[in-house]
Amino acid sequence: MSWDGVSERRIQTNGISLNIAEAGEGTLVLLLHGFPESWYSWRHQFAPLAAAGYHVVAPDMRGYGKSDKPAEITAYNQVEVVKDIIGLIPALGYETAIVIGHDWGAPTAWATALFHPDKVRAVGGLSVPFMPRSPVQPMPMMREMFKGQFFYQLYFQEPGVAEAEFEKDLKTGLRKFLVMGGGETDLTALPPKTEHDDLLSNLPDPEKLPPWLSEADLDFYTAEFTRSGMRGPLNYYRNHDLTWEMTEGAPTQIHQPAMFVAGTADGVVMMAAEAIKAMPMFVTDLRLNRMIPGIGHWTQQEAPDAVNEAILEFLSMVDG
């Protein structure tokens, strides 16, 4: 842990208990992590945000770390996950919060703002832009788009398969996956895969870790997933269609003050280029929209100073 002002406790919300890490006092800022991460992915954000007068809270999302891990796959749909986050606000003694998410945490953050405008006064996404609900069902579209090819989200669909691959050697699996997503990896140079391949076996195993990921960081993540397993985290990917069914008639625009930050070498950004371009149509008060050169998918871990600067700049726009 990079700052000793961070403490952990468990909080009841939406019928389950989430582990949270927190620091500081003041306006509530919720930081939501993605896959395969933990509250710890925000380790560089606690000190600067707390010093600026904010109560910074990063939960282990359901299924992760020391948080509860419901057994049913369907328990990981986004409607349910959003209820966890909205429930944290009164549980922590607040009426409203600013919510910022990365990777899977980003769609969750966007959805909290979209469906709970009275509770979320400002919102931010790292790596994953806001996209309104698709007019067509997501999984059939994905299967059509990636027919015959390997696509990690399709590979994650069969319960137990990706779990077994990661869990047979968690530290190696996490090292390969995290380094692959970072800005040091040229994604176009990775070996081609077909739909019959797995995720990790033909990925290069890096001889040394990039500057943003220390052995201690990797050990922390490995211990967390040794405790939690990979089933809950992977279940987020298995609910695309259910979330889509449950959100019929959803609004298409977010009106709260918003920010978006991503790295130019992020594979998600390459896939979502059109959605990023279209975002100002759907996020009507996008006050900060920033690309960080050369970094990959792990935005706030790869470029903590630039991300902290962006978040603080955005918070000062919101709070003056």
Side-chain angles (χ1 to χ4, degrees):
M1 193 183 299
S2 64
W3 189 52
D4 59 8
V6 179
S7 60
E8 289 179 72
R9 61 182 164 128
R10 284 169 71 88
I11 295 272
Q12 293 293 318
T13 172
N14 187 28
I16 64 168
S17 176
L18 294 186
N19 178 58
I20 65 163
E22 64 186 331
E25 291 173 6
T27 299
L28 179 61
V29 177
L30 296 174
L31 301 176
L32 315 182
H33 71 78
F35 175 90
E37 298 176 279
S38 108
W39 71 260
Y40 184 80
S41 68
W42 298 101
R43 61 196 174 279
H44 305 297
Q45 280 66 53
F46 287 99
L49 298 190
Y54 291 90
H55 181 188
V56 189
V57 174
D60 282 331
M61 304 295 278
R62 63 165 57 204
Y64 282 86
K66 301 186 195 101
S67 288
D68 284 355
K69 300 157 191 65
E72 307 78 24
I73 291 174
T74 53
Y76 295 83
N77 71 77
Q78 279 297 294
V79 175
E80 209 54 51
V81 175
V82 165
K83 286 183 193 165
D84 294 349
I85 302 310
I86 291 298
L88 274 181
I89 299 171
L92 289 162
Y94 292 84
E95 288 180 8
T96 62
I98 295 166
V99 185
I100 298 171
H102 166 257
D103 184 79
W104 260 116
T108 304
W110 295 124
T112 61
L114 187 69
F115 293 107
H116 301 274
D118 55 326
K119 302 279 197 309
V120 178
R121 33 187 221 101
V123 62
L126 307 186
S127 172
V128 182
F130 173 69
M131 291 172 258
R133 180 183 180 272
S134 164
V136 297
Q137 195 175 338
M139 290 313 298
M141 176 177 66
M142 222 180 271
R143 291 195 176 95
E144 191 53 43
M145 277 172 67
F146 294 99
K147 204 177 237 171
Q149 304 169 54
F150 178 88
F151 183 55
Y152 70 103
Q153 297 204 24
L154 292 175
Y155 175 68
F156 289 168
Q157 292 305 307
E158 184 60 44
V161 174
E163 285 93 329
E165 190 188 3
F166 267 108
E167 288 168 10
K168 69 176 179 225
D169 181 351
L170 267 169
K171 188 168 186 178
T172 301
L174 289 168
R175 180 171 59 236
K176 286 181 168 191
F177 192 81
L178 290 168
V179 174
M180 172 197 67
E184 305 75 25
T185 303
D186 176 1
L187 295 171
T188 61
L190 292 174
K193 292 176 186 274
T194 73
E195 62 186 329
H196 305 297
D197 287 313
D198 64 15
L199 177 70
L200 299 167
S201 58
N202 70 348
L203 279 185
D205 190 1
E207 285 172 25
K208 68 181 208 319
L209 294 175
W212 58 270
L213 183 69
S214 69
E215 282 294 341
D217 298 335
L218 186 60
D219 286 343
F220 184 94
Y221 284 125
T222 304
E224 291 298 279
F225 288 105
T226 301
R227 177 193 293 118
S228 71
M230 296 299 285
R231 178 182 158 92
L234 287 160
N235 281 342
Y236 284 69
Y237 294 93
R238 297 170 181 152
N239 278 283
H240 286 306
D241 281 352
L242 179 59
T243 298
W244 182 79
E245 285 163 19
M246 292 173 79
T247 53
E248 192 173 354
T252 57
Q253 288 187 318
I254 289 173
H255 300 296
Q256 295 97 315
M259 64 169 265
F260 177 71
V261 178
T264 56
D266 183 343
V268 172
V269 165
M270 296 167 198
M271 288 193 293
E274 289 305 310
I276 292 171
K277 213 180 291 177
M279 203 167 33
M281 287 195 306
F282 302 109
V283 181
T284 60
D285 191 5
L286 187 58
R287 298 195 185 182
L288 189 145
N289 187 359
R290 186 168 296 169
M291 300 302 293
I292 302 173
I295 66 159
H297 181 61
W298 316 109
T299 327
Q300 74 274 25
Q301 299 184 80
E302 291 184 63
D305 293 345
V307 169
N308 293 343
E309 191 182 311
I311 293 175
L312 288 167
E313 193 180 320
F314 174 63
L315 293 175
S316 74
M317 292 174 192
V318 172
D319 284 334

